Amino acid sequence: MNEALNDSVVLIGRHMRHLTRIPEKLIGVTIMPIALVLVFGYLFGSAMSVPGGGNYQEYIMAGIFVQMMLAGIGTTAIGVADDLNNGLVDRFRSLPMSQVAVLIGRTASDLVLTLVSCIGITAVGYLIGWRTHQGFVKTLAGFGLLLLLGYAVSWLGVLIGLVVRNPEAVNSISVFISMPLSFLSAAFIPLNNLPSWLQVIAEWNPMSAVVTAVRSLWGNPTAVTADSSFALRHPLPFALIGSILLLAVMVPLASRAYRRAVAA
């Protein structure tokens, strides 16, 4: 266990040093969410109303953060595919190091990258009028829930990168997964105006529970009514259980796929 932990720390440091040499990676995961904050906050904000009242700029921020977490699927998947194709994994295989440390190093360093992006998005959100109203501890809890989701989906990205291996195909698959999860949810729009059948799907989308839980922790408008689904009326346990289950499933699957990849 200590060996795996030490190897993981070394690999995290390697990925962080690599990031300083290619800062474009940071720009790529930051510019799009910031653009979404500005587009939804300014262009759509004046035309959107939140059921039950509330500031749409505050409503939208949790959705932007969740969208950024889902974008990490592609970031991690492409990174894993690149490592396989450029021979880095072969070099790791020749070293006396823990195999799981390679995956932990990748996912943990990508989580650090996500955390840095969160800081930039938080600053932009503050400029457009977003605030939290539940105190420091609950604000941190909201970010903690987001990062738990981000870490869980990064292991999904690891699995996709190991199975598909082609960076172009990996990117397409990642977008195919992340786009419906984010846009067919309560991330960007209140769900009350959707057709009834589509509203049911969106309300039971796991991302809707995460977004609603984060909004509740931050004291932002949730648009939850007495007619909302059970998941939206109790979002925090659903969000926690969903992220933990995803992590519990993806870690062993990704580890098994890695063992097969290095054995090939």
Side-chain angles (χ1 to χ4, degrees):
M1 179 62 71
N2 288 335
E3 179 184 354
L5 181 60
N6 292 334
D7 291 342
S8 299
V9 171
V10 170
L11 289 173
I12 292 171
R14 177 197 174 276
H15 288 304
M16 291 296 98
R17 290 191 297 273
H18 187 66
L19 180 62
T20 62
R21 300 189 187 100
I22 311 178
E24 293 84 2
K25 289 185 177 181
L26 183 60
I27 295 174
V29 299
T30 303
I31 294 300
M32 180 57 69
I34 289 177
L36 287 174
V37 172
L38 296 175
V39 168
F40 280 93
Y42 282 117
L43 297 184
F44 296 164
S46 59
M48 298 290 289
S49 61
V50 181
N55 187 319
Y56 181 72
Q57 281 77 12
E58 292 191 349
Y59 177 85
I60 196 62
M61 285 303 298
I64 300 294
F65 281 111
V66 166
Q67 169 70 22
M68 185 182 67
M69 299 302 152
L70 291 174
I73 298 174
T75 301
T76 302
I78 292 173
V80 170
D82 285 339
D83 289 346
L84 285 170
N85 293 328
N86 63 22
L88 180 63
V89 170
D90 291 332
R91 292 196 293 273
F92 286 156
R93 182 173 55 181
S94 66
L95 297 173
M97 62 186 301
S98 169
Q99 290 187 352
V100 71
V102 177
L103 304 183
I104 294 175
R106 165 61 64 182
T107 55
S109 60
D110 286 346
L111 186 66
V112 173
L113 180 63
T114 299
L115 180 59
V116 173
S117 300
C118 282
I119 296 173
I121 296 168
T122 298
V124 175
Y126 191 87
L127 290 176
I128 69 168
W130 169 64
R131 300 292 186 273
T132 61
H133 308 282
Q134 295 284 71
F136 181 72
V137 173
K138 287 191 175 182
T139 297
L140 284 184
F143 280 108
L145 184 59
L146 288 168
L147 292 175
L148 175 62
L149 171 67
Y151 191 63
V153 300
S154 71
W155 281 91
L156 172 59
V158 169
L159 181 62
I160 293 172
L162 289 169
V163 172
V164 180
R165 302 193 183 190
N166 181 277
E168 290 78 12
V170 160
N171 185 60
S172 299
I173 292 172
S174 301
V175 171
F176 180 77
I177 293 172
S178 62
M179 293 295 281
L181 283 174
S182 58
F183 285 99
L184 190 56
S185 72
F188 298 107
I189 59 170
L191 303 179
N192 60 306
N193 291 327
L194 293 177
S196 58
W197 64 272
L198 191 58
Q199 183 175 340
V200 171
I201 295 174
E203 286 187 340
W204 285 97
N205 181 339
M207 296 307 106
S208 292
V210 176
V211 169
T212 305
V214 172
R215 286 173 181 148
S216 298
L217 289 168
W218 289 347
N220 294 155
T222 63
V224 174
T225 67
D227 297 328
S228 298
S229 69
F230 185 81
L232 292 190
R233 287 184 281 113
H234 304 86
L236 187 55
F238 272 84
L240 284 172
I241 292 171
S243 296
I244 292 171
L245 280 177
L246 180 62
L247 196 58
V249 171
M250 287 298 114
V251 170
L253 288 179
S255 300
R256 186 181 305 169
Y258 181 76
R259 288 193 295 270
R260 290 176 179 174
V262 299

